[in-house]
Amino acid sequence: MPRSYEEIVNQAEELSRIFEEDFEPAVSKEEAALRAAALRRALAESELGEAVAAARKAGVPWDRIGEAVGTSGEAARQKYRALVGKEKPVTSGH
């Protein structure tokens, strides 16, 4: 169903008017900011998890990882151990 140039321009102008005058966003600015912040946090947590896995692969001990992420080594190990795979058992050195 071909349209004329004039019909296309008229429709574009009507859509433009609707967006400029009548458009109501689906969410408030505050909710949009909240959603954007949550997305940034998720991206940062993903990047942090990748960095922890790389650090463990390189032999960085859990206490140093915990210090870097602002917690104890044990808390870091509990939170991130699933990302780094199976841990070697801790030996006492006897």
Side-chain angles (χ1 to χ4, degrees):
M1 158 188 238
R3 291 184 169 180
S4 71
Y5 174 78
E6 186 175 317
E7 289 173 322
I8 293 170
V9 169
N10 287 341
Q11 184 178 16
E13 288 176 351
E14 176 61 17
L15 286 173
S16 175
R17 185 197 63 74
I18 289 170
F19 281 116
E20 290 174 358
E21 297 172 12
D22 301 331
F23 181 73
E24 291 288 330
V27 297
S28 67
K29 289 179 188 178
E30 295 79 11
E31 186 177 349
L34 174 63
R35 290 172 183 261
L39 175 61
R40 290 190 304 271
R41 180 186 67 187
L43 293 172
E45 287 175 356
S46 176
E47 184 179 351
L48 180 58
E50 291 172 6
V52 167
R56 284 299 297 155
K57 186 175 180 181
V60 177
W62 282 113
D63 62 329
R64 300 272 304 277
I65 291 170
E67 182 182 323
V69 300
T71 189
S72 70
E74 179 61 19
R77 185 185 68 77
Q78 289 176 6
K79 182 172 183 176
Y80 297 107
R81 70 177 163 207
L83 297 175
V84 297
K86 296 197 178 217
E87 289 289 307
K88 294 180 183 175
V90 177
T91 58
S92 62
H94 294 131

